[in-house]
Amino acid sequence: EAQVTQNPRYLITVTGKKLTVTCSQNMNHEYMSWYRQDPGLGLRQIYYSMNVEVTDKGDVPEGYKVSRKEKRNFPLILESPSPNQTSLYFCASRQGYSYNSPLHFGNGTRLTVT
Amino acid sequence: AQSVTQLGSHVSVSEGALVLLRCNYSSSVPPYLFWYVQYPNQGLQLLLKYTTGATLVKGINGFEAEFKKSETSFHLTKPSAHMSDAAEYFCAVSESDSWGKLQFGAGTQVVVTP
């Protein structure tokens, strides 16, 4: 089954403790992206990647890192999480770089930073 | 730069009644427009999209939307609401020269009452 898999689904952590949220897709998609969803703000893009070793900042990249060493994986790293990073996070992927291809989303990771 | 405004963060409709969700956008170049739906505890799924051609587009689950350039709108409708339509709906815009970067609206939560 074609899918985007995020882990974990739920994560509670403390301020400053490094964490990684994994994202993997099995569709051989070039484009991958991370979003955060906050009430009243919709989805905002954190980082995106056009292909292996090609990443770029989205609208809200501060406090996050990403890497794209393999085509299928695109982990999101929070080196020193803070409470304002408490949010619902989504990974998404798409065939090619074009607007014409739909985004495929994972089921989300709900992160709480205390 | 593109932006999206969804009117109404919450909409309540009776089962069998018309569903109308409003979306207005701003874009400096021809836009490409999307509606996504998010069911509880899931990622977003594409409902429909407008890229070029016919301005009335049909999507899954009986939804349709009409692109009106003069009004910069892309409202989503469904003639008869079903209980299963209860979800959050997001309008999104992508500009043709933006490598497919999507800008999402804040979302509209739809509640369907019996």
Side-chain angles (χ1 to χ4, degrees):
Chain A
E1 180 189 352
Q3 60 186 359
V4 178
T5 303
Q6 293 178 232
N7 281 296
R9 287 294 306 273
Y10 301 92
L11 180 57
I12 301 174
T13 190
V14 296
T15 300
K17 186 175 182 182
K18 180 180 178 180
L19 66 91
T20 299
V21 183
T22 63
C23 174
S24 181
Q25 51 93 4
N26 62 0
M27 296 167 280
N28 202 35
H29 286 170
E30 290 84 5
Y31 181 95
M32 297 185 74
S33 182
W34 276 102
Y35 294 86
R36 60 177 290 173
Q37 182 181 7
D38 301 289
L41 297 177
L43 278 78
R44 293 178 293 167
Q45 190 178 50
I46 303 170
Y47 269 94
Y48 64 96
S49 170
M50 298 288 201
N51 214 323
V52 176
E53 302 291 4
V54 182
T55 63
D56 207 348
K57 296 176 181 178
D59 297 319
V60 289
E62 294 78 19
Y64 304 95
K65 285 176 57 176
V66 292
S67 69
R68 187 92 182 270
K69 294 183 168 53
E70 305 163 284
K71 198 171 186 180
R72 63 183 292 126
N73 295 323
F74 191 45
L76 179 70
I77 303 156
L78 284 72
E79 295 269 1
S80 183
S82 63
N84 65 12
Q85 293 178 298
T86 292
S87 187
L88 180 58
Y89 291 86
F90 287 101
C91 180
S93 71
R94 182 176 66 212
Q95 179 70 46
Y97 315 129
S98 169
Y99 58 85
N100 220 5
S101 302
L103 280 170
H104 297 258
F105 283 84
N107 284 334
T109 295
R110 187 168 291 282
L111 172 66
T112 303
V113 184
T114 61
Chain B
Q2 68 239 38
S3 67
V4 180
T5 302
Q6 291 183 239
L7 292 176
S9 59
H10 287 80
V11 169
S12 182
V13 297
S14 299
E15 192 174 17
L18 171 72
V19 179
L20 170 60
L21 304 183
R22 300 178 187 275
C23 173
N24 289 88
Y25 69 91
S26 68
S27 175
S28 55
V29 298
Y32 301 99
L33 298 154
F34 305 79
W35 276 99
Y36 282 84
V37 60
Q38 183 181 30
Y39 298 105
N41 298 315
Q42 294 185 26
L44 282 70
Q45 302 172 36
L46 181 68
L47 262 183
L48 49 77
K49 65 179 180 182
Y50 167 79
T51 54
T52 58
T55 56
L56 180 64
V57 292
K58 296 186 185 299
I60 61 173
N61 302 336
F63 284 92
E64 62 183 35
E66 186 170 13
F67 169 57
K68 292 188 177 180
K69 184 178 179 181
S70 61
E71 299 178 8
T72 61
S73 69
F74 191 55
H75 302 332
L76 181 71
T77 60
K78 181 174 180 178
S80 177
H82 192 273
M83 297 299 290
S84 61
D85 295 326
E88 189 158 20
Y89 293 79
F90 292 92
C91 183
V93 63
S94 174
E95 293 183 337
S96 55
D97 60 352
S98 67
W99 291 100
K101 182 182 187 301
L102 277 182
Q103 190 76 34
F104 285 88
T108 298
Q109 185 72 46
V110 172
V111 174
V112 183
T113 56

